[in-house]
Amino acid sequence: MSTPADNTPLLHSTSDEARDDGPWASETPGIAAWWGSRSRDAVSLFTILLLLGVGLGIWVYGTLPTSDQDEHPHEYALHTQNILTHLDHLLDIARAHNNSRSVTNGHAASAQYVIGKLREHKVDCDVHVQRFVSPVWTQDAEPRFELRGAVGVEFLHATDFRVMRYGGSEPASLRDVGLATVEDACTAEAHDKVAGRVAVVRPSGKCPLFEQAFLMEQMGARAVVFVRSARYRVPSNARVRLVDWKEGDPLMSVPVLSVTHSVGQVLRSTAEGGRVSIETHGRIELAQTFNVVCVGRQGAEGDTVVVGAHLDSVAGGPGINDNGSGAMSALEILLTLTRIGYRPRNRLVFAWWGAEEDGLLGSRHFARVLAHGWRNRWSDAERLGLRWHDIALNLNFDMLASPNYIALVHNGTDAPRDARAGSQRIQRVFEDYFVRHDYPYKVTDMLAGSDFLPFVDNGVPAGGVLTGAGEIKSIEDRIEHGGLADAPLDTCYHRDCDTVLNINLVALHKMSKAAMYAVSTLSAATDLRDFLAGKTELRL
Ligand SMILES: *[C@@H]1O[C@H](CO)[C@@H](O)[C@H](O)[C@H]1NC(C)=O
Ligand SMILES: *[C@@H]1O[C@H](CO)[C@@H](O)[C@H](O)[C@H]1NC(C)=O
Ligand SMILES: [Zn+2]
């Protein structure tokens, strides 16, 4: 950029004489005479100078950094208030569906709300639903677990033992069944002894938990009890199910319990003579659910940006922060882009995943169908007009408004090798936003399961922001990010108090705009693939 001082040679060149003996060349008293004799020249010189000055001024003004609002209009066009209005509607939906928006409660009504908004605002995209089957685990009464014999012990639910999620397809009642201890439940050998008994198993690292439980069931065990290592004080509430479950895959029929280390010791010491009674009330239902996918009609198909958020909640709460905040921010971003007439260079696809809380089933289904050609009974009728290799990247928005939030950006270096370089680039786009606004932020791992996993696992770079769930804020984080130390980032995580009152407005404001910045920037980038490969800088 030029400064006015650089301009003087230009002025000199307008008159050789002025350069040779102009007023700045001498301090003689003759200056007034000189000025008088040159006054006509001077007037024209003055005019030229004035014109140049005005022109220069306009040019300089044009090159000066403009306001943040001028440079990032999309961010400013997004109104947090509108996201809150959507969240109010989601809360109403939850209230009308047993205070939940889970697969079997208010998910379908939430999806209707999203589709209604897309239609009402005439968003330029083809709206698809993509159906799939999700196993849904419920447990409507407390289980009982008792050791019988010379020493009778009634164990305490949640303290001594738990029924693991998806551990049993039907309620069960076992009375006085013998025990069998198993050292390695990954191999079928020498397990004949479990037939007709309750298998007490120390989980092995050699194969997945589900495989161990399922093998015991196949060998005739009437229940499986996993003994936790001494490191844990409480029994596990994990899922006993194939991580990547799809329709047709097996599920556990017999009950699966987790017990603490000390309960395990009691069971093992009495194993040969011990008998137990078990009463469970868990069941697995197969429910139909779906993703809502809005495939944009503008922009380069080969450089598609998929923006995703999950729309379901857990069964035990309305899920307004988790993850209504991400899903409704994504909705409002799309409605805002439509309102301001944004035309993406790269195609935008918005996806609201179903059954995330049951193990990312919606996004896994999407990847399985598109990346691996998997078909269920609906897929042929539900073609999305989208090919996996057209997807350049995925942005995922989960919880964006945790009350005791930290602004978190996913660490692209954690992504598998095929998706790493691109995920690092996406991370940097988010970081640019926080740096520009001088907001504190923290890089967090990408391992914590959310809907970007099926993308990075299939070679598509991904990234996103979030504000934290049940983890406790450290004193260091409190100093850097504010809020309350020694308290969870979201006290209402997966609880019935996750309502609109649980939304942190400052967090929602910052994070939804971070999301908007990334969506508008990456969908406007030229040579998006080269940028993601680290070959070029970001160019709009
Ligand atoms: C309603 O929610 C409560 C609490 O989560 C649960 O115990 C009950 O089974 C649910 N009822 C239905 C019909 O889903
Ligand atoms: C990101 O992840 C990589 C690999 O796991 C790790 O080495 C690095 O320290 C992480 N960065 C931050 C800022 O946490
Ligand atoms: Zn959740």
Side-chain angles (χ1 to χ4, degrees):
M1 181 171 63
S2 295
T3 63
D6 297 336
N7 205 31
T8 41
L10 244 182
L11 284 181
H12 284 277
S13 67
T14 59
S15 157
D16 286 343
E17 283 168 288
R19 180 171 58 203
D20 292 340
D21 51 11
W24 43 82
S26 119
E27 294 183 353
T28 61
I31 188 160
W34 175 84
W35 184 252
S37 73
R38 295 301 184 94
S39 61
R40 288 186 61 205
D41 284 353
V43 166
S44 55
L45 179 69
F46 178 76
T47 308
I48 290 166
L49 205 153
L50 186 74
L51 289 174
L52 278 171
V54 168
L56 183 77
I58 290 169
W59 183 70
V60 165
Y61 181 78
T63 60
L64 276 177
T66 50
S67 74
D68 190 60
Q69 177 158 6
D70 292 338
E71 282 199 24
H72 303 282
H74 313 103
E75 262 174 55
Y76 287 82
L78 181 72
H79 300 304
T80 312
Q81 187 55 47
N82 293 348
I83 303 174
L84 276 181
T85 305
H86 299 314
L87 290 172
D88 272 332
H89 281 101
L90 287 196
L91 188 58
D92 288 344
I93 289 169
R95 294 279 185 251
H97 294 87
N98 200 22
N99 203 32
S100 167
R101 299 184 306 97
S102 72
V103 167
T104 47
N105 289 298
H107 171 258
S110 307
Q112 278 313 318
Y113 178 77
V114 168
I115 294 170
K117 285 288 159 193
L118 298 178
R119 299 241 158 91
E120 180 188 329
H121 291 255
K122 303 193 165 54
V123 175
D124 193 16
C125 73
D126 295 312
V127 180
H128 299 269
V129 297
Q130 193 186 31
R131 279 171 290 180
F132 58 95
V133 170
S134 168
V136 176
W137 163 256
T138 51
Q139 184 175 228
D140 52 19
E142 284 214 346
R144 294 166 60 100
F145 181 33
E146 211 180 323
L147 177 65
R148 301 165 66 90
V151 193
V153 188
E154 168 134 24
F155 298 113
L156 281 179
H157 177 234
T159 305
D160 296 328
F161 81 100
R162 265 184 189 285
V163 177
M164 296 180 77
R165 287 184 290 155
Y166 298 88
S169 57
E170 295 288 338
S173 181
L174 309 181
R175 293 199 66 77
D176 288 327
V177 179
L179 296 170
T181 55
V182 176
E183 294 307 328
D184 179 1
C186 290
T187 54
E189 296 163 34
H191 287 165
D192 307 342
K193 59 178 181 179
V194 304
R197 293 172 180 251
V198 171
V200 179
V201 181
R202 244 204 284 259
S204 160
K206 285 189 262 171
C207 69
L209 203 65
F210 175 79
E211 280 182 26
Q212 301 175 43
F214 193 61
L215 185 59
M216 294 300 101
E217 177 176 321
Q218 285 179 313
M219 311 219 61
R222 301 194 49 202
V224 182
V225 175
F226 283 116
V227 179
R228 279 204 118 177
S229 89
R231 255 183 310 147
Y232 302 99
R233 305 281 159 89
V234 291
S236 165
N237 188 30
R239 289 189 192 97
V240 193
R241 204 192 64 199
L242 287 174
V243 172
D244 208 354
W245 187 90
K246 59 184 185 305
E247 201 178 353
D249 284 343
L251 292 157
M252 287 303 296
S253 296
V254 304
V256 182
L257 276 57
S258 167
V259 299
T260 58
H261 185 71
S262 42
V263 170
Q265 281 180 316
V266 173
L267 296 178
R268 291 168 71 89
S269 66
T270 61
E272 297 320 316
R275 307 184 80 75
V276 292
S277 290
I278 295 175
E279 199 180 298
T280 62
H281 303 273
R283 65 171 82 238
I284 301 173
E285 277 169 76
L286 294 183
Q288 246 186 57
T289 188
F290 56 92
N291 297 322
V292 175
V293 187
C294 162
V295 180
R297 297 199 193 99
Q298 304 171 11
E301 292 183 3
D303 291 325
T304 297
V305 174
V306 175
V307 181
H310 81 74
L311 189 53
D312 62 314
S313 76
V314 288
I320 296 304
N321 181 30
D322 178 11
N323 285 295
S325 55
M328 293 304 103
S329 295
L331 175 62
E332 188 55 30
I333 284 170
L334 179 53
L335 298 183
T336 300
L337 291 175
T338 302
R339 177 163 53 80
I340 63 178
Y342 176 73
R343 299 188 69 83
R345 184 189 307 276
N346 308 318
R347 177 168 64 175
L348 276 168
V349 170
F350 279 70
W352 288 271
W353 310 121
E356 190 264 8
E357 299 288 7
D358 300 296
L360 317 181
L361 293 182
S363 49
R364 286 187 201 278
H365 174 71
F366 178 85
R368 190 179 297 120
V369 169
L370 268 67
H372 302 288
W374 191 76
R375 296 260 162 273
N376 67 13
R377 70 195 106 138
W378 301 291
S379 350
D380 285 332
E382 293 174 347
R383 293 187 186 282
L384 303 182
L386 195 58
R387 292 172 304 180
W388 189 256
H389 60 257
D390 285 340
I391 300 175
L393 67 99
N394 167 239
L395 299 174
N396 191 60
F397 301 118
D398 242 333
M399 305 166 73
L400 295 188
S402 305
N404 193 26
Y405 77 101
I406 299 177
L408 300 170
V409 177
H410 282 298
N411 183 352
T413 308
D414 284 337
R417 202 162 48 84
D418 289 349
R420 192 171 303 148
S423 301
Q424 288 168 328
R425 282 308 185 89
I426 297 167
Q427 175 191 341
R428 260 184 37 200
V429 170
F430 284 111
E431 288 180 323
D432 287 346
Y433 166 88
F434 291 106
V435 169
R436 168 160 54 84
H437 287 283
D438 207 13
Y439 295 151
Y441 71 95
K442 191 174 168 181
V443 175
T444 189
D445 61 43
M446 221 177 179
L447 311 171
S450 197
D451 290 301
F452 54 75
L453 275 185
F455 287 87
V456 293
D457 285 348
N458 287 287
V460 172
V465 284
L466 70 165
T467 54
E471 56 276 26
I472 302 292
K473 188 176 274 185
S474 68
I475 188 73
E476 294 78 17
D477 280 340
R478 185 249 171 272
I479 292 166
E480 177 72 19
H481 303 274
L484 295 173
D486 290 334
L489 302 184
D490 181 357
T491 312
C492 290
Y493 179 60
H494 286 186
R495 293 178 55 197
D496 60 1
C497 58
D498 186 8
T499 68
V500 175
L501 294 178
N502 191 38
I503 292 292
N504 182 319
L505 279 179
V506 175
L508 183 62
H509 181 87
K510 287 182 183 175
M511 303 306 273
S512 61
K513 284 171 191 287
M516 174 58 113
Y517 172 67
V519 171
S520 56
T521 302
L522 290 165
S523 64
T526 30
D527 301 325
L528 180 58
R529 304 270 183 171
D530 287 346
F531 166 69
L532 293 171
K535 290 184 199 152
T536 59
E537 287 306 304
L538 187 63
R539 281 181 293 142
L540 299 181

